[in-house]
Amino acid sequence: MLTEIATAQAAEDEILRSVRALAGAPWELLRNSPRRLARLATFLPSNNLLYSYVLFGVVPSLYTDEIRLRPSARVARAALAVHEILCPPLRRLGAGRIVMTPCTQREFLADCGRSDAVVFTGRPENGAAVAARLPAGTLLLSFGSGPNPVVVGPDADPDAVCRAVLDARLYNSGQDCLCTDLVLVHRSQVPTLVPRLADALAGIRIGDRRDPATRVAPLVYPDAVEDAAAFLDAHREFTVRGGRTDLARHTVEPTLLHLPWQEDFHPPEFFSPVVLTMAYDAPDQVARWLSSAEETARGMYVSVFGEPALAGRSRIATSVVCEERVTFDVEDGNRPFGGYGPLAGNVRRHGTVTGRPLLLSAEAGPPAGPGTGPRSRIRTGP
């Protein structure tokens, strides 16, 4: 069922991450001591169906009496299939009741209004609309997305970085909020890295997502193809390799674009196999870009390879630093997720909205004393 919306490679990874999150659940709950919730309502994302079911259904069922899940209308059939597979054994284990309800957002908001906590995954503007409909006392966790840039400094190994960039960009054909939307390359690395990326992308073919050898498949959402086509058409002069799209077949050719430095450029979320590089000359340019109003708002992760001036920091502006690692290396279902940009992820308590890495069991924990709480407990790696 997972390969209805994910490549076989991504589905296998999703299963392994789900097993790891389940194995880490006792430690997570012991560490965070979440209070007992009567009801949790969750807007599930349209990807990572199994992993999301584990993170927002199975693990919270250990400290929640009833969990109401609303699948995305785009993938409701596959989401319901996952629920039907997992629900019987969960009932036998005696966990909290998990109910999946395909319904409109308006209908589901009634469930949300009667819940102790709500998890929203999706566009920030839709999350704000949900927040406006909830009682002030409802705990709301809103998971968004960010550009997750990769910085390639003068000391980076081009071969290792090429592999890392493709891993970070092509996961499930690029259809994941952890995928990298921009690679900032030191000018000294451009002559080496850009041709390596172009050659690597030339060897990637679009295939059946059920084939374990397929890295890029037709995209699940037509609007992702439309958005990619519009961006590629507007930036045609910067195309190094690829650039073709086919709306009828839902395909975006693995593509590489290279831009000169533009401090006011802020990439869209591609959700497609588009690798976008941009040259920089000095690390302070990168720091200023990450500190801009746009990137501060959506700061999630920034991966830093071979850039000594940016190494050794836990974060730059609102972006959590992944040193010599990409986002998929760092993400851990038992630890807080994301950065400090309010559009990338935020928690609302009694009308106060705070952008920070999110983990439901930590936010549902007991009142924090001096020097404790989710902020001081945050770690970003194993």
Side-chain angles (χ1 to χ4, degrees):
M1 291 307 301
L2 296 181
T3 55
E4 285 201 359
I5 64 167
T7 62
Q9 290 181 5
E12 182 177 1
D13 181 73
E14 187 177 344
I15 290 170
L16 294 174
R17 288 178 186 273
S18 299
V19 171
R20 186 177 69 173
L22 291 170
W27 172 88
E28 176 190 331
L29 270 57
L30 181 66
R31 186 169 184 258
N32 294 312
S33 301
R35 69 183 188 277
R36 189 76 190 175
L37 300 177
R39 176 183 282 186
L40 167 69
T42 297
F43 293 82
L44 289 174
S46 58
N47 60 349
N48 291 308
L49 297 183
L50 173 62
Y51 193 42
S52 299
Y53 190 92
V54 167
L55 296 187
F56 303 128
V58 181
V59 174
S61 75
L62 299 174
Y63 55 91
T64 306
D65 295 332
E66 182 178 78
I67 297 173
R68 313 284 291 190
L69 303 175
R70 178 188 180 268
S72 167
R74 293 182 167 196
V75 295
R77 192 179 82 88
L80 283 166
V82 169
H83 175 63
E84 289 167 3
I85 292 168
L86 295 183
C87 202
L90 288 171
R91 281 198 297 266
R92 289 195 294 271
L93 290 170
R97 181 169 176 252
I98 301 176
V99 179
M100 184 173 286
T101 309
C103 60
T104 66
Q105 181 167 303
R106 182 184 296 274
E107 291 168 334
F108 194 64
L109 280 171
D111 280 331
C112 295
R114 297 189 294 269
S115 300
D116 300 314
V118 174
V119 171
F120 179 84
T121 57
R123 296 184 181 278
E125 58 270 23
N126 294 337
V130 169
R133 300 286 299 275
L134 296 178
T138 303
L139 173 66
L140 173 62
L141 276 66
S142 296
F143 291 82
S145 63
N148 301 313
V150 170
V151 178
V152 183
D155 297 340
D157 177 345
D159 289 325
V161 167
C162 182
R163 291 191 298 270
V165 166
L166 295 184
D167 287 343
R169 177 63 264 175
L170 300 183
Y171 185 91
N172 193 21
S173 307
Q175 300 168 109
D176 195 287
C177 70
L178 281 173
C179 288
T180 291
D181 292 314
L182 181 63
V183 185
L184 298 168
V185 185
H186 189 271
R187 192 168 300 281
S188 65
Q189 290 275 19
V190 170
T192 303
L193 182 62
V194 171
R196 272 180 169 79
L197 288 170
D199 290 344
L201 288 171
I204 294 173
R205 300 289 179 260
I206 297 175
D208 190 318
R209 67 173 63 91
R210 295 166 295 182
D211 183 342
T214 293
R215 197 165 190 184
V216 172
L219 303 184
V220 177
Y221 316 120
D223 52 338
V225 184
E226 294 170 358
D227 292 346
F231 184 90
L232 295 176
D233 185 60
H235 297 81
R236 188 68 58 188
E237 63 185 295
F238 302 110
T239 302
V240 177
R241 194 266 164 203
R244 290 185 291 270
T245 61
D246 188 328
L247 185 58
R249 292 183 172 84
H250 290 195
T251 59
V252 174
E253 182 182 16
T255 297
L256 174 64
L257 295 88
H258 180 68
L259 275 64
W261 177 257
Q262 301 176 34
E263 191 152 327
D264 59 352
F265 174 78
H266 303 283
E269 184 179 20
F270 286 113
F271 235 61
S272 59
V274 175
V275 179
L276 176 63
T277 61
M278 187 164 74
Y280 75 93
D281 292 293
D284 63 317
Q285 290 177 300
V286 177
R288 284 199 309 272
W289 185 84
L290 289 168
S291 301
S292 65
E294 293 86 346
E295 299 309 325
T296 298
R298 61 179 188 161
M300 200 169 178
Y301 294 107
V302 56
S303 297
V304 178
F305 291 84
E307 180 51 87
L310 301 179
R313 309 188 191 189
S314 60
R315 69 184 194 184
I316 302 173
T318 57
S319 296
V320 171
V321 175
C322 309
E323 198 164 331
E324 305 296 325
R325 295 182 294 175
V326 295
T327 52
F328 293 97
D329 300 326
V330 170
E331 197 276 335
D332 182 336
N334 302 119
R335 295 184 183 274
F337 172 85
Y340 293 81
L343 298 184
N346 66 72
V347 57
R348 189 196 75 156
R349 293 176 182 272
H350 299 288
T352 300
V353 178
T354 306
R356 62 168 172 248
L358 300 175
L359 180 65
L360 179 60
S361 64
E363 299 295 347
T372 65
R375 285 182 179 273
S376 61
R377 289 200 296 266
I378 286 167
R379 288 177 59 190
T380 59

